[in-house]
Amino acid sequence: MRLLTREAVLAFRRAPLLSALSVTTIAFSLFTLGLFGLVALNLREALRGIEERVEIVAFVLHGTPAETVTLATQDIAAFPEVQRVNYVSEDEALERARRELVEFRDAYRDLQVNPLPASIEVRLREGHRDAGSVERVAERLRGFDFVEDVRFGREWVQKLDHLRNITGVVGGAIGLAFAAVAMVIIGVTIRITLLQRAREIAVMRLVGATKWFIRGPFLLEGALKGLFGGALSLLLCYGGYLLFRDSSEGTLAGLVFFTPAHMLLIVVFGVLLGLGASVLSVGRQLRNV
Amino acid sequence: MIRLTHVDKSYPNGAPALKDVSFRVRKGEFVFLTGHSGAGKSTIMRLLFAEQRPTHGEVRVSGYDVGTLKPRDVPRLRRRLGVVFQDFRLLEDRTASENIAFALEVTGARPDTIGARVIRVLAQVGLTAKARAYPREMSGGEQQRIAIARALVNDPAILLADEPTGNLDERATRGVFQLLRDINAAGTVVVMATHDLDLVRQAPYRTIEVREGAIVYDSATDDPASAGAAAEAE
């Protein structure tokens, strides 16, 4: 193991320029991937804020007994999709209208009869805020006899869904493309290293080194390049994040950076990329060396 | 130690490299494989260290059947052999002692034993003073001695030398050849491929002559007259 590590580390010293080039290209590939990840992460955070406001409002028929509504509210709260149910009586609705719709304050003050219906406001749990779930819950609410109408922002719930899907597809495609580019680059650098060290490999074979002993240092070298590349890409991402956040003069102060779990994932992904590319490259090249 | 029985070897394009080659090398023997370039000497050597496999026939080396050897067993066979070549095959970025130690390291020798073993073989080939020299700082003869030291460091039962003096001047040739004789005298089987007939004539060792892929003369079984004819043909 000591020799394996020494040979892998020695490879960096023997070809510093080539190694630096490999690490840099891996870092830039992962940096681009990381930047996209940051955009996706922040978009997701922003979407979550909007999604939290997804609300279904069921308007209650005038004259419905309070006990009926209370019982129904308990039923609705038990729906698996439902996070919170709030009953707004007719009086509360009027009070809220007076408070929130300032421009109509005078009109509401002079009213003899309250024209606003009572309503049941339903908020959904995370993961159930897509158009399908919203529609399903709305349909069940319509099933109550005392419900006159059910409203929710159908269009923008569908738009949210659309945006979420696009983010997923574009992110996945760009991620895969960059991962492929990074693998090709690592593979080429490992292949160049193998050709550089063909004589050494021939001697190893001659004196009876095992297959995995010969391959081990190259695989470790690839994994180390992935590790360094991954770590460097995180630094670049952090630099980019700070630059973007600070240059926005406060408008993007709420931007988030990767969590430690995300960072670990990027570095592990770098290591796996390096290792995978080395496995492919060494397997193909060692047949010819 | 070595036994080839009716061995044929063809190249991928079908051209024959060896035809019905059979011979046996016993413990303690020194054998010359002679013949002109392209005769098949190197092919025999490559079969012996399992770099190639026979198309037909059986090649047995140190108890291993090369024809049916599993890839994972090839390193085990090679650890019982020492192999040296005309071009030395030393690693240019390592010193003499590092080149020798490399053979021990890659075969998993205990690190605390490596230093002493390297010094022992350096003394055996008479180059203790060159332990820290790089190949470019040594003469051809010295480089070949280091290559021989590397081949010996794992205490092989058989030493295969493919044209080991091919790149050396007369003086270095004599030195390397004497070293191989000493190694053989210590009990190691030596198979030396060479086209240097002067060298062959210097020592009373068994000579096998290969021509166009077939053995045309073996001093262990044929009469001396045919040896002369073979030499003339060269």
Side-chain angles (χ1 to χ4, degrees):
Chain A
M1 193 62 206
R2 205 182 61 175
L3 182 70
L4 184 90
T5 316
R6 193 192 73 192
E7 288 296 316
V9 173
L10 212 60
F12 284 83
R13 282 173 52 190
R14 283 195 196 116
L17 205 65
L18 197 64
S19 300
L21 185 72
S22 313
V23 171
T24 314
T25 41
I26 294 162
F28 273 101
S29 303
L30 291 176
F31 170 56
T32 319
L33 202 64
L35 274 189
F36 191 84
L38 267 183
V39 171
L41 185 71
N42 280 285
L43 197 60
R44 204 177 67 187
E45 285 297 313
L47 284 180
R48 188 179 291 159
I50 298 169
E51 278 176 354
E52 275 170 10
R53 284 154 55 194
V54 169
E55 191 177 67
I56 307 169
V57 182
F59 293 101
V60 178
L61 276 172
H62 184 68
T64 306
E67 302 78 46
T68 309
V69 179
T70 308
L71 280 174
T73 307
Q74 285 166 3
D75 280 355
I76 295 164
F79 291 0
E81 300 93 340
V82 172
Q83 184 185 46
R84 186 157 49 88
V85 183
N86 185 33
Y87 174 65
V88 181
S89 67
E90 291 170 358
D91 291 343
E92 283 167 348
L94 184 61
E95 184 56 36
R96 192 189 281 177
R98 280 177 178 151
R99 196 173 57 242
E100 291 176 4
L101 305 172
V102 186
E103 60 271 37
F104 298 113
R105 187 177 288 164
D106 292 341
Y108 283 125
R109 193 177 50 209
D110 299 335
L111 285 173
Q112 300 297 316
V113 181
N114 182 0
L116 299 176
S119 63
I120 298 168
E121 294 171 349
V122 179
R123 293 251 165 133
L124 299 180
R125 288 179 196 279
E126 202 178 337
H128 294 283
R129 291 165 187 160
D130 56 292
S133 298
V134 173
E135 187 66 60
R136 210 164 36 247
V137 173
E139 199 51 47
R140 290 182 73 179
L141 294 179
R142 277 190 201 101
F144 289 100
D145 292 340
F146 59 82
V147 169
E148 191 179 22
D149 192 12
V150 177
R151 297 273 174 89
F152 61 90
R154 182 193 303 269
E155 269 189 20
W156 67 269
V157 165
Q158 282 171 346
K159 276 182 185 162
L160 269 183
D161 259 14
H162 196 55
L163 194 58
R164 206 170 12 222
N165 291 340
I166 287 176
T167 311
V169 170
V170 173
I174 293 182
L176 280 176
F178 276 103
V181 169
M183 278 192 82
V184 168
I185 292 167
I186 298 166
V188 168
T189 56
I190 293 280
R191 224 171 290 170
I192 292 170
T193 314
L194 280 165
L195 288 173
Q196 269 186 336
R197 294 170 63 188
R199 195 176 179 86
E200 195 175 324
I201 292 165
V203 172
M204 280 183 169
R205 283 180 160 170
L206 201 64
V207 297
T210 57
K211 182 173 125 182
W212 287 110
F213 189 91
I214 296 170
R215 291 174 183 218
F218 294 105
L219 301 187
L220 189 60
E221 186 187 329
L224 283 176
K225 282 178 177 168
L227 178 76
F228 296 148
L232 187 60
S233 76
L234 277 180
L235 281 177
L236 291 171
C237 280
Y238 192 64
Y241 160 77
L242 287 182
L243 198 73
F244 201 62
R245 194 191 62 180
D246 297 345
S247 65
S248 70
E249 292 172 351
T251 52
L252 295 170
L255 277 185
V256 293
F257 192 66
F258 296 123
T259 62
H262 287 140
M263 291 192 261
L264 185 69
L265 198 71
I266 288 176
V267 174
V268 168
F269 186 56
V271 171
L272 289 178
L273 271 183
L275 193 64
S278 302
V279 168
L280 289 175
S281 188
V282 166
R284 279 171 56 185
Q285 202 62 32
L286 277 189
R287 273 181 241 132
N288 310 322
V289 175
Chain B
M1 297 299 279
I2 296 172
R3 194 176 70 216
L4 277 75
T5 313
H6 303 299
V7 171
D8 293 336
K9 174 69 188 171
S10 302
Y11 293 121
N13 64 6
L18 295 177
K19 290 174 279 187
D20 196 27
V21 169
S22 297
F23 66 87
R24 191 170 180 169
V25 179
R26 293 173 201 283
K27 212 172 173 179
E29 268 194 287
F30 190 119
V31 178
F32 283 118
L33 267 181
T34 66
H36 57 75
S37 295
K41 306 187 296 289
S42 293
T43 304
I44 292 176
M45 296 301 251
R46 282 197 283 270
L47 287 174
L48 296 182
F49 64 90
E51 182 68 17
Q52 292 184 355
R53 291 172 188 252
T55 310
H56 295 111
E58 189 184 54
V59 177
R60 288 195 82 86
V61 180
S62 202
Y64 289 92
D65 182 349
V66 173
T68 59
L69 201 60
K70 290 183 181 135
R72 69 165 182 270
D73 288 328
V74 172
R76 289 184 195 162
L77 165 64
R78 290 186 181 163
R79 288 177 195 193
R80 294 186 179 202
L81 306 174
V83 190
V84 288
F85 297 92
Q86 184 173 349
D87 59 356
F88 324 131
R89 301 196 186 178
L90 296 175
L91 303 176
E92 297 295 324
D93 59 343
R94 294 172 201 236
T95 63
S97 59
E98 285 169 350
N99 263 285
I100 299 166
F102 187 65
L104 289 169
E105 287 168 343
V106 302
T107 49
R110 275 177 43 199
D112 57 332
T113 64
I114 291 176
R117 290 169 73 178
V118 170
I119 290 168
R120 178 176 58 81
V121 286
L122 273 171
Q124 197 176 344
V125 300
L127 284 179
T128 314
K130 295 281 181 176
R132 292 184 182 194
Y134 286 90
R136 62 179 175 277
E137 297 165 348
M138 291 186 277
S139 69
E142 288 170 337
Q143 288 188 55
Q144 191 59 290
R145 281 169 178 268
I146 296 299
I148 292 171
R150 183 180 62 193
L152 287 180
V153 76
N154 274 316
D155 296 319
I158 302 168
L159 181 67
L160 305 173
D162 192 358
E163 299 281 4
T165 59
N167 275 350
L168 306 181
D169 60 28
E170 201 184 326
R171 188 158 170 253
T173 296
R174 277 202 308 275
V176 166
F177 182 49
Q178 186 55 48
L179 178 60
L180 294 175
R181 294 180 74 167
D182 294 343
I183 290 163
N184 174 246
T188 306
V189 168
V190 177
V191 179
M192 177 174 167
T194 182
H195 60 263
D196 184 348
L197 289 177
D198 289 339
L199 205 66
V200 174
R201 289 192 194 101
Q202 275 181 34
Y205 295 133
R206 179 180 170 193
T207 304
I208 296 173
E209 190 191 341
V210 189
R211 195 186 299 160
E212 292 177 1
I215 292 180
V216 293
Y217 171 73
D218 184 345
S219 64
T221 53
D222 299 342
D223 63 280
S226 35
E232 286 301 315
E234 285 289 309

